[in-house]
C-alpha cells in the first residue's frame, strides 16, 4: 500500500474517506485478516490507504483513504470481493465512514466564527 503524506502537500483533488471500524473482541484476529485482504483492493479502484491506525487492543481501526474520483470509491464499495472476504472471515463490520476534506489554516472554524461575531 502506498501511503501519501498527510501534511497538506498533496495537490490533487482526491476523494478522502475516514473509516472507523470496530471489531467485537472475539473477532479481532478475523477482522485484521479481513482488512489484510480488502485493503489491497483499493488500488483496483484508484484508491489507496493514506494512513492506518489501530488501538492497542486491536478492536478499532481508523483508516484515512483516498480515491482518484467518486466512481472509483463507489466501485470499491460495490466490489463483490469485499463481501466474499467478509463472509469467508466471518467478520461483522461495525463503524462509521465519513467523507472529509482538508481544512486550510486560514479557513475559520465554528469556534472562531462565534468569537468573531461576539466582538
Amino acid at each position: 500500500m502506498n501511503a501519501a503524506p498527510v501534511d497538506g502537500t498533496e495537490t490533487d483533488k482526491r476523494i478522502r474517506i475516514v473509516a472507523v471500524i470496530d471489531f467485537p473482541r472475539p473477532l479481532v484476529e478475523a477482522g485484521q485478516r479481513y482488512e489484510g485482504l480488502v485493503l489491497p483492493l483499493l488500488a483496483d479502484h484508484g484508491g489507496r490507504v493514506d494512513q492506518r491506525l489501530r488501538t492497542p487492543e486491536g478492536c478499532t481501526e481508523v483508516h484515512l483513504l483516498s480515491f482518484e474520483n467518486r466512481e472509483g470509491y463507489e466501485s470499491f464499495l460495490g466490489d463483490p470481493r469485499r463481501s466474499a472476504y467478509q463472509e469467508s472471515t466471518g467478520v461483522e463490520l461495525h463503524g462509521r465512514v465519513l467523507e472529509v476534506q482538508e481544512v486550510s489554516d486560514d479557513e475559520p472554524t465554528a469556534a472562531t466564527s462565534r468569537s468573531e461575531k461576539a466582538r
Side-chain angles (χ1 to χ4, degrees):
M1 292 174 273
N2 295 341
V6 187
D7 62 1
T9 60
E10 191 173 46
T11 58
D12 63 323
K13 299 293 183 194
R14 299 179 67 85
I15 304 286
R16 291 184 174 188
I17 305 295
V18 172
V20 181
I21 304 117
D22 297 308
F23 300 110
R25 191 167 297 282
L27 294 176
V28 167
E29 203 171 293
Q32 291 174 2
R33 274 195 318 275
Y34 169 78
E35 294 297 336
L37 293 167
V38 121
L39 290 175
L41 300 178
L42 289 165
D44 293 347
H45 303 281
R48 68 179 183 220
V49 176
D50 292 328
Q51 192 167 30
R52 182 178 179 191
L53 306 165
R54 182 183 294 151
T55 57
E57 75 283 353
C59 291
T60 302
E61 286 200 13
V62 178
H63 300 167
L64 178 57
L65 311 174
S66 64
F67 291 85
E68 292 172 2
N69 53 48
R70 183 158 312 282
E71 293 77 18
Y73 173 53
E74 291 173 1
S75 70
F76 173 72
L77 292 178
D79 190 322
R81 296 174 292 180
R82 290 179 64 234
S83 54
Y85 292 153
Q86 188 174 348
E87 194 173 306
S88 71
T89 57
V91 170
E92 294 178 37
L93 294 177
H94 302 279
R96 294 178 62 196
V97 176
L98 307 166
E99 186 172 331
V100 296
Q101 59 189 14
E102 191 166 346
V103 178
S104 69
D105 290 338
D106 57 341
E107 192 171 319
T109 63
T112 304
S113 297
R114 282 194 298 273
S115 65
E116 287 175 358
K117 287 180 183 175
R119 289 184 192 166

